[in-house]
Amino acid sequence: MSDIIRRDPRAEWIARNRLHPLHAAMQPAQHSWMGPNGVIRKNPHGIGFIGPNGIKRIDRSGAQQGGSAKRSAAVEVQLPLHQVPAPAFYICVVPDMVGGRLSSHDKDLLGLAHQLAGKDGAVLAVVFGEHKESAFATAGVDRLLVLEGDEFSGYAPEQRVQGLRAVDNQFSPRHWLLPDSRSGGGELGRRFAAALGERPATRVWQVKDQECIGRAGAGLQDLARPVARLILAAVECAEPVSETRHEALPMELSTAVARSLSRIEDLGAVAVDPAAIPMAEAEFIFSGGNGVKDWDLFHQAAAALGATEGASRVAVDDGFMARDRQVGASGTWVTARVYVAVGISGAIQHLQGIGACDKVVAINLDPGCDMIKRADLSVIGESAEILRALIDAVAAYRNDAKRDAA
Ligand SMILES: Cc1cc2nc3c(=O)[nH]c(=O)nc-3n(C[C@H](O)[C@H](O)[C@H](O)COP(=O)(O)OP(=O)(O)OC[C@H]3O[C@@H](n4cnc5c(N)ncnc54)[C@H](O)[C@@H]3O)c2cc1C
């Protein structure tokens, strides 16, 4: 048995997300606290826990009473190993691997794949080129096939379709799952469907009772149809795998992948002005609030990082930022992969706007503010000092990179 301590990112996310229906259940029970007049108050009902048969139990070792207030959602979990020695069939998943890692959308898809695989099937992930992911096993990958080669790197949808066709010929998967995303899966999935001559189910958000339900009619209607072989699924189409560990056994193709006629030439990434990226589409947002005391420094830091600027409503109302930069309930709802909040307290209207952000970094003086509770990484301190240190760190990093390249 492994004694590795594993975090549960989903539980941590729910514990931070006050709008989630399970939020209350994920909060550490608070058994004693300082009352307004300085007297320690205790909640006698908070001690103990509900056992598996529904009966309340009290842990008399003292560990629960003494340690629970500091308990975090990071729990020690011995994840059982799910093995499929001889798969009866495969469910193939083609993750987007944005930045070389599984995105939360990819993980939702792996969860859906396990729903379709049941006990007898194996989930086979097909990944193109180099990756930086080390958690395929806990994300639910039973078999991993990495299609290596320069021909698959960059924007190469035609060559990737050839790769998927080779996988299809060898493994004849029962279902193909791709994220219906702008990052690649949406286009690749449709091209692959055309190559196979199959009609894919698109924008699927639920697969249930042998039906898949997808968004249609400009997102206003649901379209139910029998489960298709090729499914392009939306974000949150299923719960990601969190209770099992998987083998992620490496697989190989037995035949070489046919070369496609390269009718598309990838000229590489083009630098864009981060300020010109619409807030709703920005991947990296650097947002300032009432705690920013030096706005020139804030703009310098955003430029050094190459991030799109955002703001809280107070910063906008005070005239430091344009109205179209406001993030939140009455501004823009953003979906950045990284959201840095500088001097923003985390009012509910602001948190609503960043609910879909992947990683949140908070810079704030107040360690108890709601933005720090929501953040994945917090830096406690004076914003100007931290911004200066950040600009220096970025400059040092760039210089090192230049020196290494020379
Ligand atoms: C109907 C309605 C709609 C709203 N919609 C939005 C919306 O869309 N978006 C939005 O943002 N707000 C919205 N608000 C306003 C919202 O309720 C908050 O007032 C606002 O988000 C607070 O902005 P803030 O966090 O920048 O400022 P504050 O609440 O003043 O917080 C400033 C933070 O900066 C920290 N700080 C102070 N000095 C420093 C320093 N030197 N260094 C580091 N940290 C420092 C403080 O600890 C504090 O946490 C709405 C309100 C209403 C009523």
Side-chain angles (χ1 to χ4, degrees):
M1 287 268 271
S2 149
D3 56 358
I4 297 170
I5 297 177
R6 295 197 183 276
R7 292 175 63 191
D8 181 348
R10 186 170 177 83
E12 291 175 19
W13 175 73
I14 294 172
R16 284 193 310 265
N17 185 348
R18 287 189 297 187
L19 303 177
H20 197 284
L22 295 177
H23 172 74
M26 291 297 195
Q27 296 312 299
Q30 196 182 6
H31 302 306
S32 65
W33 64 95
M34 176 87 73
N37 49 8
V39 177
I40 298 284
R41 324 285 309 185
K42 285 193 176 177
N43 173 16
H45 305 291
I47 296 175
F49 56 94
I50 304 295
N53 48 8
I55 296 172
K56 188 164 185 175
R57 307 248 164 224
I58 294 179
D59 172 12
R60 298 201 185 278
S61 71
Q64 192 197 18
Q65 286 85 342
S68 62
K70 292 195 182 106
R71 192 190 71 184
S72 76
V75 281
E76 192 175 325
V77 187
Q78 305 271 339
L79 293 176
L81 180 65
H82 172 91
Q83 284 175 301
V84 195
F89 58 91
Y90 287 100
I91 306 289
C92 264
V93 177
V94 188
D96 272 344
M97 304 293 294
V98 180
R101 294 198 171 85
L102 289 169
S103 64
S104 53
H105 193 170
D106 293 337
K107 290 179 185 170
D108 294 344
L109 232 72
L110 287 164
L112 178 59
H114 273 283
Q115 268 182 34
L116 295 167
K119 281 190 192 133
D120 303 328
V123 173
L124 169 67
V126 182
V127 172
F128 295 101
E130 279 182 27
H131 64 82
K132 302 174 196 156
E133 185 57 69
S134 54
F136 282 115
T138 43
V141 175
D142 297 313
R143 304 285 188 276
L144 178 64
L145 177 62
V146 181
L147 294 178
E148 279 163 351
D150 287 346
E151 66 272 28
F152 294 115
S153 61
Y155 179 70
E158 296 175 319
Q159 188 57 46
R160 289 184 177 202
V161 165
Q162 293 292 356
L164 297 184
R165 292 194 74 160
V167 177
D168 195 53
N169 289 339
Q170 183 168 332
F171 296 94
S172 308
R174 184 176 282 184
H175 292 287
W176 278 97
L177 303 185
L178 286 95
D180 203 348
S181 65
R182 277 174 297 168
S183 323
E187 182 192 348
L188 183 63
R190 285 166 178 82
R191 282 177 179 269
F192 184 43
L196 292 181
E198 295 198 21
R199 182 181 162 218
T202 58
R203 299 169 75 191
V204 171
W205 60 271
Q206 192 176 50
V207 177
K208 208 172 141 190
D209 304 331
Q210 294 306 309
E211 273 198 336
C212 43
I213 305 170
R215 287 261 179 265
L220 299 176
Q221 286 170 339
D222 279 342
L223 186 72
R225 52 175 286 202
V227 178
R229 178 158 181 258
L230 215 143
I231 298 172
L232 308 186
V235 179
E236 294 189 1
C237 53
E239 289 286 318
V241 171
S242 59
E243 289 172 359
T244 41
R245 190 161 45 97
H246 297 253
E247 297 172 290
L249 290 178
M251 305 289 279
E252 281 188 6
L253 276 183
S254 52
T255 52
V257 176
R259 284 284 185 137
S260 72
L261 280 177
S262 57
R263 286 169 297 188
I264 297 170
E265 191 186 353
D266 182 3
L267 297 179
V270 178
V272 289
D273 177 5
I277 303 175
M279 293 287 289
E281 288 175 21
E283 293 275 294
F284 180 18
I285 297 179
F286 199 70
S287 217
N290 204 15
V292 173
K293 304 299 173 198
D294 183 340
W295 282 94
D296 286 340
L297 201 60
F298 173 82
H299 297 309
Q300 273 178 41
L305 291 165
T308 303
E309 289 185 359
S312 74
R313 178 158 153 179
V314 171
V316 170
D317 288 349
D318 288 350
F320 292 115
M321 294 288 277
R323 181 65 62 195
D324 67 352
R325 295 287 119 189
Q326 182 181 319
V327 174
S330 54
T332 307
W333 293 53
V334 294
T335 57
R337 282 172 68 76
V338 178
Y339 185 85
V340 184
V342 187
I344 300 180
S345 57
I348 184 70
Q349 296 89 352
H350 194 89
L351 292 183
Q352 278 172 345
I354 63 168
C357 290
D358 224 0
K359 294 278 179 277
V360 174
V361 181
I363 299 175
N364 205 300
L365 268 180
D366 174 9
C369 74
D370 284 340
M371 185 57 83
I372 300 277
K373 289 180 192 151
R374 164 67 175 86
D376 300 271
L377 175 73
S378 306
V379 187
I380 311 294
E382 218 284 317
S383 60
E385 237 171 76
I386 293 161
L387 292 180
R388 254 179 242 115
L390 192 58
I391 294 169
D392 291 347
V394 173
Y397 177 80
R398 297 243 159 92
N399 286 342
D400 284 355
K402 266 190 208 150
R403 206 175 317 120
D404 291 348

